[in-house]
């Protein structure tokens, strides 16, 4: 039996299904915490930044918080393993090489996202979850040859990713992640509605993050860039910003609940 056959067996194994479900639950918890912090920000009661890092810090401060943060870290590691297996051996049923490698590249990108969140969880659990800030990272990129174009390209890529989430939400393409039971009946209708709202809201928030990077590139000012917390702060500063931010926060929360539904009705 060669490595490819072994990987195929691993991909189809029950233990990987269980691992993915654990990871999705952890991912859902993080999104619910971000939603909670975003609503706090909108109501002027913000104590932690409405971002992945802020959510992990908030979780760490709760009873048994360190154990829960470690649980998030393990969950993200399990999702990284899943996506890396998809990248290396997945989508072999696709006859179109271009489409197959595009899907594999998407899986690799998701592995990077899960890995970054998992690393943040590990640092938070170890008491070293502070960050130099997105603007400092952008400044380092700006100092590279062609740095302004690199930052602009990052911004456009993030905007494209946000747009893809909005598209997946609007077209309900995400339902492919649910088994037949998860798409049927009253529960199925609720799951689809949560997913639609969640994907669109998350896509909008991420698109704003990309817009901040693009604006930083245009103005050559690293301080104009920012992560999710700064993007949500930007929303709050707009006309009717409080209402908009609460809506986005609730939408991100809907995405978190959809992660639970996906864990229960996983289809790969």
């Amino acid at each position: 039996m060669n490595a490819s056959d072994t990987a195929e067996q691993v991909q189809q194994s029950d233990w990987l299904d269980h691992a993915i479900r654990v990871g999705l639950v952890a991912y859902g918890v993080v999104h619910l915490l971000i939603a909670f912090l975003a609503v706090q920000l909108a109501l002027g009661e913000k104590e932690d930044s409405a971002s992945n890092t802020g959510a992990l810090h908030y979780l760490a401060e709760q009873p048994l918080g360190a154990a829960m943060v470690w649980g998030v870290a393990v969950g993200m590691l399990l999702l990284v393993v899943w996506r890396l297996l998809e990248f290396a051996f997945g989508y072999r049923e696709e006859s179109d090489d271009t489409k197959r490698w595009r899907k594999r590249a998407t899986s690799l990108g998701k592995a990077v996202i899960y890995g970054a969140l998992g690393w943040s969880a590990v640092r938070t659990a170890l008491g070293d979850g502070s960050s130099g800030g997105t603007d400092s990272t952008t400044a380092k990129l700006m100092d590279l040859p062609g740095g302004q174009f690199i930052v602009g390209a990052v911004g456009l890529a993030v905007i494209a990713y946000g747009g893809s989430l909005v598209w997946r939400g609007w077209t309900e393409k995400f339902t492919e992640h649910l088994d037949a039971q998860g798409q049927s009946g009253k529960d199925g209708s609720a799951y689809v509605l949560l997913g639609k709202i969640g994907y669109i809201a998350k896509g909008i928030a991420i698109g704003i993050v990309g817009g901040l990077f693009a604006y930083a590139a245009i103005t050559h000012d690293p301080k104009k860039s920012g992560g999710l917390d700064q993007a949500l702060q930007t929303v709050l500063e707009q006309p009717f910003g409080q209402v908009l931010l609460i809506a986005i926060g609730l939408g991100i929360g809907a995405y978190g609940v959809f992660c639970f539904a996906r864990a229960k009705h996983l289809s790969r």
Side-chain angles (χ1 to χ4, degrees), residues 178-185 188 265 267:
L178 299 173
D179 60 20
Q181 184 180 359
Q183 298 182 43
S184 60
H265 298 284
S267 175

PDB file of all heavy atoms in Angstrom, residues 178-185 188 265 267:
ATOM      1  N   LEU A 178     -23.307  20.214   4.669  1.00  0.00           N
ATOM      2  CA  LEU A 178     -24.284  19.549   5.529  1.00  0.00           C
ATOM      3  C   LEU A 178     -24.783  18.279   4.866  1.00  0.00           C
ATOM      4  O   LEU A 178     -24.991  18.246   3.637  1.00  0.00           O
ATOM      5  CB  LEU A 178     -25.475  20.478   5.801  1.00  0.00           C
ATOM      6  CG  LEU A 178     -25.187  21.800   6.511  1.00  0.00           C
ATOM      7  CD1 LEU A 178     -26.451  22.659   6.528  1.00  0.00           C
ATOM      8  CD2 LEU A 178     -24.699  21.561   7.930  1.00  0.00           C
ATOM      9  N   ASP A 179     -24.994  17.227   5.663  1.00  0.00           N
ATOM     10  CA  ASP A 179     -25.565  16.012   5.093  1.00  0.00           C
ATOM     11  C   ASP A 179     -27.050  16.238   4.798  1.00  0.00           C
ATOM     12  O   ASP A 179     -27.603  17.305   5.075  1.00  0.00           O
ATOM     13  CB  ASP A 179     -25.347  14.818   6.031  1.00  0.00           C
ATOM     14  CG  ASP A 179     -26.001  15.003   7.408  1.00  0.00           C
ATOM     15  OD1 ASP A 179     -26.915  15.844   7.527  1.00  0.00           O
ATOM     16  OD2 ASP A 179     -25.593  14.301   8.347  1.00  0.00           O
ATOM     17  N   ALA A 180     -27.688  15.236   4.221  1.00  0.00           N
ATOM     18  CA  ALA A 180     -29.088  15.386   3.803  1.00  0.00           C
ATOM     19  C   ALA A 180     -29.999  15.717   4.980  1.00  0.00           C
ATOM     20  O   ALA A 180     -30.912  16.541   4.859  1.00  0.00           O
ATOM     21  CB  ALA A 180     -29.556  14.098   3.127  1.00  0.00           C
ATOM     22  N   GLN A 181     -29.754  15.112   6.140  1.00  0.00           N
ATOM     23  CA  GLN A 181     -30.577  15.377   7.314  1.00  0.00           C
ATOM     24  C   GLN A 181     -30.429  16.827   7.775  1.00  0.00           C
ATOM     25  O   GLN A 181     -31.382  17.448   8.231  1.00  0.00           O
ATOM     26  CB  GLN A 181     -30.184  14.433   8.442  1.00  0.00           C
ATOM     27  CG  GLN A 181     -31.064  14.564   9.684  1.00  0.00           C
ATOM     28  CD  GLN A 181     -30.660  13.607  10.792  1.00  0.00           C
ATOM     29  OE1 GLN A 181     -29.727  12.824  10.622  1.00  0.00           O
ATOM     30  NE2 GLN A 181     -31.362  13.669  11.913  1.00  0.00           N
ATOM     31  N   GLY A 182     -29.213  17.357   7.630  1.00  0.00           N
ATOM     32  CA  GLY A 182     -28.961  18.732   8.048  1.00  0.00           C
ATOM     33  C   GLY A 182     -29.566  19.768   7.122  1.00  0.00           C
ATOM     34  O   GLY A 182     -29.580  20.958   7.455  1.00  0.00           O
ATOM     35  N   GLN A 183     -30.055  19.346   5.952  1.00  0.00           N
ATOM     36  CA  GLN A 183     -30.656  20.274   5.002  1.00  0.00           C
ATOM     37  C   GLN A 183     -32.176  20.139   4.925  1.00  0.00           C
ATOM     38  O   GLN A 183     -32.814  20.887   4.196  1.00  0.00           O
ATOM     39  CB  GLN A 183     -30.072  20.042   3.608  1.00  0.00           C
ATOM     40  CG  GLN A 183     -28.583  20.269   3.502  1.00  0.00           C
ATOM     41  CD  GLN A 183     -28.067  20.061   2.078  1.00  0.00           C
ATOM     42  OE1 GLN A 183     -28.689  20.507   1.114  1.00  0.00           O
ATOM     43  NE2 GLN A 183     -26.944  19.387   1.945  1.00  0.00           N
ATOM     44  N   SER A 184     -32.745  19.210   5.678  1.00  0.00           N
ATOM     45  CA  SER A 184     -34.175  18.930   5.543  1.00  0.00           C
ATOM     46  C   SER A 184     -34.938  19.307   6.806  1.00  0.00           C
ATOM     47  O   SER A 184     -34.364  19.417   7.898  1.00  0.00           O
ATOM     48  CB  SER A 184     -34.381  17.437   5.252  1.00  0.00           C
ATOM     49  OG  SER A 184     -33.849  16.648   6.296  1.00  0.00           O
ATOM     50  N   GLY A 185     -36.232  19.512   6.637  1.00  0.00           N
ATOM     51  CA  GLY A 185     -37.108  19.795   7.762  1.00  0.00           C
ATOM     52  C   GLY A 185     -36.902  21.188   8.339  1.00  0.00           C
ATOM     53  O   GLY A 185     -36.176  22.019   7.792  1.00  0.00           O
ATOM     54  N   GLY A 188     -33.293  21.859   9.326  1.00  0.00           N
ATOM     55  CA  GLY A 188     -32.478  22.137   8.148  1.00  0.00           C
ATOM     56  C   GLY A 188     -32.674  23.553   7.644  1.00  0.00           C
ATOM     57  O   GLY A 188     -31.717  24.238   7.281  1.00  0.00           O
ATOM     58  N   HIS A 265     -23.885  17.679  11.482  1.00  0.00           N
ATOM     59  CA  HIS A 265     -24.319  17.125  10.200  1.00  0.00           C
ATOM     60  C   HIS A 265     -23.199  17.255   9.164  1.00  0.00           C
ATOM     61  O   HIS A 265     -23.401  17.798   8.080  1.00  0.00           O
ATOM     62  CB  HIS A 265     -25.574  17.850   9.721  1.00  0.00           C
ATOM     63  CG  HIS A 265     -26.743  17.692  10.629  1.00  0.00           C
ATOM     64  ND1 HIS A 265     -27.491  16.556  10.713  1.00  0.00           N
ATOM     65  CD2 HIS A 265     -27.296  18.566  11.534  1.00  0.00           C
ATOM     66  CE1 HIS A 265     -28.461  16.699  11.596  1.00  0.00           C
ATOM     67  NE2 HIS A 265     -28.359  17.909  12.117  1.00  0.00           N
ATOM     68  N   SER A 267     -20.676  16.821   6.282  1.00  0.00           N
ATOM     69  CA  SER A 267     -20.600  16.151   4.979  1.00  0.00           C
ATOM     70  C   SER A 267     -19.297  16.586   4.323  1.00  0.00           C
ATOM     71  O   SER A 267     -19.043  17.775   4.181  1.00  0.00           O
ATOM     72  CB  SER A 267     -21.796  16.553   4.106  1.00  0.00           C
ATOM     73  OG  SER A 267     -21.668  15.996   2.805  1.00  0.00           O
TER      74      SER A 267
END
